[in-house]
């Protein structure tokens, strides 16, 4: 599993990761009926690189999540109790389970 984590840490620094992240957020948005009051959780690294663009594109509040998620996102509507966890670490854990 360590090798997979290292590969994911490399991936988040590659150019295609930005496309992956934005598509991931868009797909999560499409699953939510109520588009109001949506928060997007990103790692500190992703916020520094893409935070302003994502905030502008999706009109949502950006919240920092722990870096041990590696990358990806959590899209949440806390009022509805909906949390879509598309973090890379969660995806890896699901694959390895």
């Amino acid at each position: 599993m360590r090798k997979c984590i290292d590969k994911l840490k490399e991936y988040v620094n590659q150019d295609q990761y930005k496309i992956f992240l934005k598509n991931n957020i868009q797909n999560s948005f499409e699953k939510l009926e109520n588009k109001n009051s949506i928060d997007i959780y990103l790692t500190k690294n992703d916020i520094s690189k893409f935070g302003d663009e994502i905030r502008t594109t999706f009109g949502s509040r950006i919240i920092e999540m722990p870096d041990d998620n590696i990358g990806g996102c959590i899209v949440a509507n806390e009022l509805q109790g909906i949390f879509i966890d598309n973090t890379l670490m969660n995806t890896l854990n699901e694959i390895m389970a």
Side-chain angles (χ1 to χ4, degrees):
M1 186 146 146
R2 182 87 228 135
K3 199 175 212 181
C4 292
I5 291 171
D6 291 342
K7 288 285 188 190
L8 289 172
K9 286 181 178 180
E10 290 175 19
Y11 176 64
V12 299
N13 292 308
Q14 295 176 3
D15 291 340
Q16 67 264 31
Y17 172 69
K18 178 182 174 182
I19 296 165
F20 164 82
L21 181 62
K22 288 177 73 176
N23 286 340
N24 206 328
I25 294 169
Q26 181 63 44
N27 291 337
S28 297
F29 260 71
E30 290 171 4
K31 294 177 183 175
L32 298 172
E33 290 181 24
N34 184 354
K35 308 291 189 239
N36 299 321
S37 303
I38 293 176
D39 296 324
I40 300 171
Y41 293 76
L42 301 171
T43 62
K44 184 176 188 173
N45 184 46
D46 288 347
I47 292 171
S48 68
K49 289 181 180 178
F50 317 119
D52 290 338
E53 183 179 347
I54 289 172
R55 188 178 297 108
T56 301
T57 301
F58 296 98
S60 295
R61 184 171 62 157
I62 305 292
I63 299 173
E64 186 177 326
M65 67 178 173
D67 287 333
D68 60 355
N69 287 299
I70 304 172
C73 64
I74 297 172
V75 176
N77 183 322
E78 292 186 38
L79 297 175
Q80 293 181 320
I82 298 171
F83 294 84
I84 301 171
D85 187 340
N86 286 323
T87 61
L88 294 179
M89 196 64 201
N90 184 59
T91 302
L92 179 60
N93 286 332
E94 287 180 0
I95 292 169
M96 302 299 279

